[in-house]
Amino acid sequence: MSDIRAVAQEYRDAGAIEVNLIAPFIKDEREDKNVSKGSKNKRGSYNGRIIKIKNVMESLSGFVDRIVTFEPHSAATHTFASLNDIALAPLSLEEELIGQIKDKIWANPKKWVVVRPDAGRNLVATRIEKIYGIPGVHLEKLRDSNTRKSETDSLTEKEKKVLKDKNTILYDDEGGTLGTIKDIVMKKFIPAGVAGINIFLGHARLQTKWRKNLNEIVDAAKKNNIPINIYFSDSRRPLGNLKSALRESKFRKIIKIIPIKEKVKKVIKACIGGVNLSLVV
C-alpha cells in the first residue's frame, strides 16, 4: 500500500480535494471463518485475514477518501473502511459476466435458473432473477469452524424440480480452491439432472487444490453429458497457473476470461462526474 499512499500524498500536495481509489480486487479481504466469538465474560478476537483487512484500511486512512472495488468478499472490508473514514462502494461484475450469455437467456428464460451458493451472493442472485425473469435456488454454506471444510446444504424436493432440465447459472464472488463449486456441481446439479452448467466467478484466486477440483468438476460434467462453461474476470492475477490450464484442450473451450477494463473506465468516468457510487450495489 506504500505506493498508493505515496501517489495519494502527491495528489494532496497538488491540491486535490478528494482521492478515489479504484481497486478491482483487494487482497486478503476474505474474512476468517473460525474467529473466536468470545463468551459472555470474554470478548471475541480478530485473527489472520481480519487483521490484514483492518491494517490495510488503517494504512489508507487520511490518504484515500473513497474506494470503489468489485465483489468484496468480506463485510469486514466495509466495516474497517467505515471505521477509518473511508467511503467504500462495492460493485458487482454481474453485468460483465452474465452478459456473456444474456442473449441465450432472453431467447428462452423458462429454461434457465440462477443459483446462489451462499448468503453473501443474495443481492446479485436476486437481481439476476429480476432482470431476466428466471427462478432462483438459494443455498446456504455450512462450514466447520475447526476443520474449515465447508459444503452447501441439501436441496429440497422443490428445488430439485426447479433445477431439473434447466440451464444453471452459478454466480460467486471468488474462485479459491473451487471446493464449493465442486460440491454444488457434483452433489446438487448432476443428481438433480440439470441441462447445462454455467459458472461465473468474479475473482480467480485459484489456490491450493484448485486444479484437482477443476478436473473433477469438468470430468463429472462430461461423464453425465452436461455442457459446462466457467467464466472468470481478469480482476487479479491468479495464485494458480490459469494460463497453463487454458493451453490444454480439455479446458480451452470451457474456461473463458472476461476483461473488465471497460468497467474500470466507466467507474473512473462516474467518479469524475460526481456519481455517488456508495448507493450502487
Side-chain angles (χ1 to χ4, degrees):
M1 295 293 170
S2 59
D3 288 342
I4 293 175
R5 292 196 298 271
V7 172
Q9 189 59 59
E10 289 288 336
Y11 287 155
R12 298 274 188 205
D13 293 343
I17 59 173
E18 182 178 85
V19 177
N20 292 263
L21 172 62
I22 314 302
F25 175 78
I26 299 178
K27 185 180 179 182
D28 292 320
E29 59 184 344
R30 179 194 291 265
E31 62 188 273
D32 290 302
K33 304 298 182 181
N34 59 348
V35 174
S36 171
K37 303 300 181 182
S39 64
K40 292 182 179 179
N41 301 316
K42 183 179 179 181
R43 295 178 63 187
S45 60
Y46 295 130
N47 61 33
R49 290 170 176 165
I50 290 285
I51 293 176
K52 289 183 179 180
I53 298 168
K54 179 174 179 286
N55 291 340
V56 164
M57 294 305 165
E58 287 180 349
S59 72
L60 295 178
S61 181
F63 294 91
V64 172
D65 298 290
R66 177 168 64 171
I67 297 174
V68 182
T69 188
F70 305 142
E71 305 291 359
H73 195 90
S74 165
T77 308
H78 308 62
T79 300
F80 287 115
S82 177
L83 289 174
N84 287 280
D85 296 320
I86 301 172
L88 188 142
L91 302 185
S92 171
L93 292 172
E94 158 257 316
E95 182 181 357
E96 286 67 32
L97 293 174
I98 304 300
Q100 302 300 311
I101 61 169
K102 64 180 181 181
D103 291 340
K104 294 180 180 179
I105 303 174
W106 285 124
N108 193 354
K110 293 182 179 180
K111 293 294 293 180
W112 292 83
V113 60
V114 61
V115 178
R116 183 194 77 183
D118 55 49
R121 297 299 92 204
N122 186 40
L123 291 175
V124 176
T126 52
R127 184 164 62 242
I128 294 171
E129 292 171 33
K130 291 179 180 178
I131 291 173
Y132 296 101
I134 60 179
V137 172
H138 295 182
L139 302 175
E140 296 292 341
K141 185 186 293 184
L142 308 176
R143 186 182 295 272
D144 187 304
S145 295
N146 296 315
T147 65
R148 298 181 69 96
K149 290 183 179 180
S150 66
E151 63 177 49
T152 51
D153 53 3
S154 300
L155 293 172
T156 64
E157 290 304 314
K158 182 179 179 180
E159 289 171 335
K160 291 177 183 178
K161 289 181 180 179
V162 171
L163 290 170
K164 178 70 174 176
D165 296 326
K166 297 290 180 60
N167 293 308
T168 56
I169 297 171
L170 178 60
Y171 190 98
D172 206 355
D173 55 353
E174 182 180 81
T177 65
L178 302 183
T180 298
I181 304 301
K182 183 177 77 171
D183 175 70
I184 294 174
V185 168
M186 299 181 72
K187 296 182 181 179
K188 277 76 174 176
F189 285 174
I190 291 176
V194 301
I197 300 172
N198 297 273
I199 300 168
F200 297 89
L201 301 167
H203 304 299
R205 184 177 179 87
L206 302 183
Q207 62 201 80
T208 308
K209 295 184 180 180
W210 76 273
R211 190 62 182 273
K212 176 178 179 296
N213 288 332
L214 177 63
N215 272 304
E216 293 182 25
I217 291 167
V218 173
D219 288 344
K222 286 187 174 181
K223 182 179 179 181
N224 289 275
N225 297 314
I226 301 174
I228 183 170
N229 289 290
I230 304 173
Y231 301 81
F232 293 102
S233 82
D234 63 353
S235 62
R236 60 161 290 162
R237 179 181 296 172
L239 298 177
N241 193 342
L242 183 56
K243 289 184 178 180
S244 176
L246 290 172
R247 286 194 290 267
E248 296 182 25
S249 57
K250 179 178 182 179
F251 302 118
R252 193 176 301 136
K253 293 182 179 180
I254 291 175
I255 299 176
K256 299 174 179 61
I257 310 301
I258 311 304
I260 61 168
K261 62 180 181 180
E262 293 303 319
K263 178 85 165 187
V264 174
K265 289 180 182 178
K266 289 180 181 178
V267 170
I268 293 173
K269 289 180 179 179
C271 288
I272 293 172
V275 175
N276 186 355
L277 294 174
S278 297
L279 299 177
V280 180
V281 177

